[in-house]
Amino acid sequence: QQAEIGLIGLGVMGSNLALNIAEKGNRIAVFNRTPSRTDEFLGEAGGLAGQIIGCHTIEEFVAAIRPPRPIIIMIKAGEAVDQQMAALLPHLAKNDIMIDAGNANFRDTVARFERLAGTDVTFIGMGVSGGEEGARHGPSIMVGGTEESWKRVEPVLTSIAAKFNDEPCVAWLGTDGAGHFVKTIHNGIEYADMQMIAEVYGILRDGLNMSATEIGEIFGQWNKGRLNSYLIEITEKVLKATDPETGRPMVDVIVDAAGQKGTGKWSAIEAQNLAVAASGIEAAVSGRVLSSLREERIAAEKLFGLPALAEAPKDKAAFIADLENALLAAKIAAYAQGFAVMSSASEEFNWSLPMPTIAKIWRAGCIIRSQFLDEITSAFTRDPDVANLVVTPAFAAMVKETDAALRRVVAHAALSGLPVPALSSALSYFDTYRRGRGTANLIQAQRDFFGAHGFDRLDGKDVHHGPWAGQF
Ligand code: 6PG
């Protein structure tokens, strides 16, 4: 019996995805560049091996799949994908589908889609979120490609996706790069979420002098409330873990320099390209960049010293409650920004991205999964074309309830010299967005002064330049 789908690349993510596919009752053919890995994988598959056809050559692999053949390519993003696609193409037939499931830049996906448009073969760019565990037991899957190719893969992908209230966390989001774009923004939001959590950890550790275990306890409490989410859940676990080498908390022995593979940066770049303010995502990317300058930071601390801490909050419990609300408020800003980027991209690239569906398929399986996304789903279902998530009734109410806490937390952190770039960006975002009369009138005047760039008048008069005293 032929396989329903094929998969190339038996690394951690590929292997787990293949096992998930097999476990859900789909026959799958697998191929790996190093054939011994394929044999090893079949050994690891245990009882699922019967559903898996291990292939040592591309010819064997292609012949093992039922046409039109969907083939998932799960290898390192970048040039390797193009090489693999080129090697595969001559073996494929009409309507076969190459599926790139890596963290590709959506611009590469659009280019690949267009390149294949001249052939018989079609292309799907598929964002897969959820890390190793998600791939194995149920990821969130964001699909971009033709509707016809989606129909071919829909049953298999539906069977392997995470479920939220029995609804599968997979959807077709539009043509060419739509799926990878949405995955990129998912990751941008993931960066913002993680940065904001880390900033709150910093306030507790350096401002309140709490131990990792104590802070873990607080995150554990928060996970039972409105912040309930995978990232808060793992934060508790991570903070409570002990280093077997030293017996100290694991986080206390880890170097404070964050890695990054590019998706967060791409989401900030695309936000800028689309002229959408995504200051929370940008702050998170810059935060990682500054974190990586460890030597420079250590030298600068020697040069400047650290500011004295502000007076400790009088009511510690109330301050910790403020931190919880501040995190919620800042999270709202970051998600509002991420969704605003997607809505602008949807127009720019003619995708018709379905906002309620995107929120829906992020409710389970992916790294940013949370209760909160269910609330976003409801808000967008009520009002799919709303200009900004923060003005939907439910989120406006949440902002009104929490922004004072965010203000107190940011103020306290600023007075204590504790860096909170993402939290403070969220506060500035709200403060700017809610103020009807801003200060860009001055910028317009300056632009007109030095470059005759022109301005509009509040009274609508058709006069667009000043007389400026002392201009030339
Ligand atoms: C996911 C993750 C996943 C990966 C990121 C991490 O949704 O499952 O986002 O795709 O862990 O690429 O990105 P950085 O290495 O850039 O932090």
Side-chain angles (χ1 to χ4, degrees):
Q1 193 197 345
Q2 280 188 305
E4 220 19 64
I5 193 162
L7 182 140
I8 296 180
L10 293 170
V12 180
M13 289 296 283
S15 304
N16 282 337
L17 209 58
L19 292 174
N20 186 1
I21 292 171
E23 190 175 63
K24 302 293 153 40
N26 311 287
R27 239 172 123 62
I28 176 169
V30 297
F31 175 79
N32 194 67
R33 203 173 44 173
T34 319
S36 57
R37 172 66 197 132
T38 307
D39 301 332
E40 191 184 86
F41 171 69
L42 286 173
E44 292 159 10
L48 295 174
Q51 285 283 77
I52 303 171
I53 310 172
C55 307
H56 289 161
T57 66
I58 281 279
E59 289 80 2
E60 209 186 312
F61 171 69
V62 169
I65 310 164
R66 175 176 78 79
R69 308 175 180 85
I71 297 175
I72 298 176
I73 301 173
M74 192 52 134
I75 59 178
K76 196 170 155 11
E79 232 172 88
V81 174
D82 291 308
Q83 285 164 7
Q84 185 57 68
M85 285 172 65
L88 192 56
L89 188 60
H91 301 277
L92 298 185
K94 196 163 174 57
N95 297 333
D96 285 352
I97 311 159
M98 291 197 211
I99 306 169
D100 176 13
N103 267 330
N105 185 317
F106 90 102
R107 292 183 181 274
D108 291 341
T109 304
V110 171
R112 286 167 184 149
F113 187 87
E114 279 168 7
R115 210 162 61 224
L116 284 185
T119 71
D120 282 346
V121 174
T122 61
F123 189 69
I124 284 180
M126 180 167 104
V128 179
S129 177
E132 294 172 33
E133 197 230 328
R136 178 65 184 86
H137 298 292
S140 168
I141 306 174
M142 296 144 255
V143 179
T146 64
E147 193 167 6
E148 201 187 351
S149 56
W150 157 245
K151 290 272 172 261
R152 171 70 179 90
V153 293
E154 186 180 357
V156 176
L157 296 183
T158 303
S159 75
I160 63 163
K163 308 285 180 299
F164 184 93
N165 292 343
D166 290 335
E167 288 184 79
C169 292
V170 55
W172 175 61
L173 300 174
T175 185
D176 54 56
H180 275 142
F181 188 89
V182 171
K183 175 65 185 4
T184 297
I185 300 304
H186 165 282
N187 280 29
I189 295 174
E190 170 186 308
Y191 273 49
D193 255 338
M194 294 169 76
Q195 173 70 25
M196 293 177 318
I197 291 173
E199 290 174 11
V200 167
Y201 156 72
I203 295 174
L204 293 166
R205 184 190 68 182
D206 301 329
L208 267 55
N209 209 10
M210 294 174 81
S211 72
T213 320
E214 288 167 332
I215 303 171
E217 201 50 48
I218 290 174
F219 278 98
Q221 287 304 320
W222 290 350
N223 196 40
K224 295 186 194 130
R226 287 195 295 181
L227 288 174
N228 174 264
S229 61
Y230 173 71
L231 282 171
I232 296 284
E233 177 194 326
I234 66 162
T235 303
E236 177 190 8
K237 291 185 179 152
V238 160
L239 285 164
K240 287 185 174 171
T242 304
D243 171 35
E245 303 292 320
T246 58
R248 295 174 57 200
M250 201 70 215
V251 286
D252 290 349
V253 303
I254 296 178
V255 173
D256 52 327
Q260 52 174 324
K261 289 196 283 289
T263 45
K265 180 181 76 181
W266 298 336
S267 57
I269 290 172
E270 296 307 337
Q272 294 276 9
N273 282 338
L274 292 159
V276 177
S279 50
I281 297 171
E282 286 166 9
V285 177
S286 301
R288 287 202 191 185
V289 171
L290 281 172
S291 82
S292 70
L293 304 179
R294 186 160 174 267
E295 299 299 313
E296 280 183 50
R297 288 187 290 110
I298 290 170
E301 182 177 330
K302 284 206 184 97
L303 177 65
F304 294 109
L306 290 176
L309 290 179
E311 200 185 319
K314 290 199 176 57
D315 182 343
K316 191 170 162 188
F319 184 69
I320 290 173
D322 267 359
L323 286 171
E324 181 180 9
N325 283 325
L327 205 43
L328 185 65
K331 202 173 154 85
I332 294 171
Y335 282 68
Q337 294 168 3
F339 276 93
V341 177
M342 289 190 290
S343 121
S344 171
S346 180
E347 264 184 44
E348 174 77 16
F349 303 108
N350 293 318
W351 284 327
S352 310
L353 293 179
M355 297 303 149
T357 306
I358 294 170
K360 252 185 189 181
I361 63 171
W362 286 353
R363 290 178 303 178
C366 65
I367 301 295
I368 63 170
R369 62 185 179 257
S370 65
Q371 207 46 51
F372 182 76
L373 274 158
D374 198 31
E375 297 174 60
I376 298 185
T377 304
S378 309
F380 278 125
T381 305
R382 271 185 59 156
D383 197 351
D385 299 316
V386 67
N388 191 309
L389 183 69
V390 297
V391 300
T392 59
F395 283 84
M398 267 192 255
V399 171
K400 284 182 191 167
E401 200 193 317
T402 53
D403 75 328
L406 177 60
R407 192 175 308 287
R408 285 190 292 270
V409 165
V410 169
H412 182 82
L415 290 171
S416 297
L418 297 169
V420 285
L423 294 178
S424 60
S425 81
L427 181 63
S428 297
Y429 181 72
F430 289 140
D431 285 343
T432 308
Y433 191 75
R434 77 196 294 172
R435 185 166 288 268
R437 174 69 170 158
T439 54
N441 49 322
L442 180 63
I443 295 171
Q444 287 298 78
Q446 291 166 327
R447 292 176 69 240
D448 191 57
F449 186 104
F450 64 64
H453 294 293
F455 53 72
D456 290 327
R457 294 172 58 98
L458 286 172
D459 60 13
K461 283 197 178 138
D462 195 18
V463 177
H464 300 282
H465 296 285
W468 306 112
Q471 190 174 13
F472 300 112

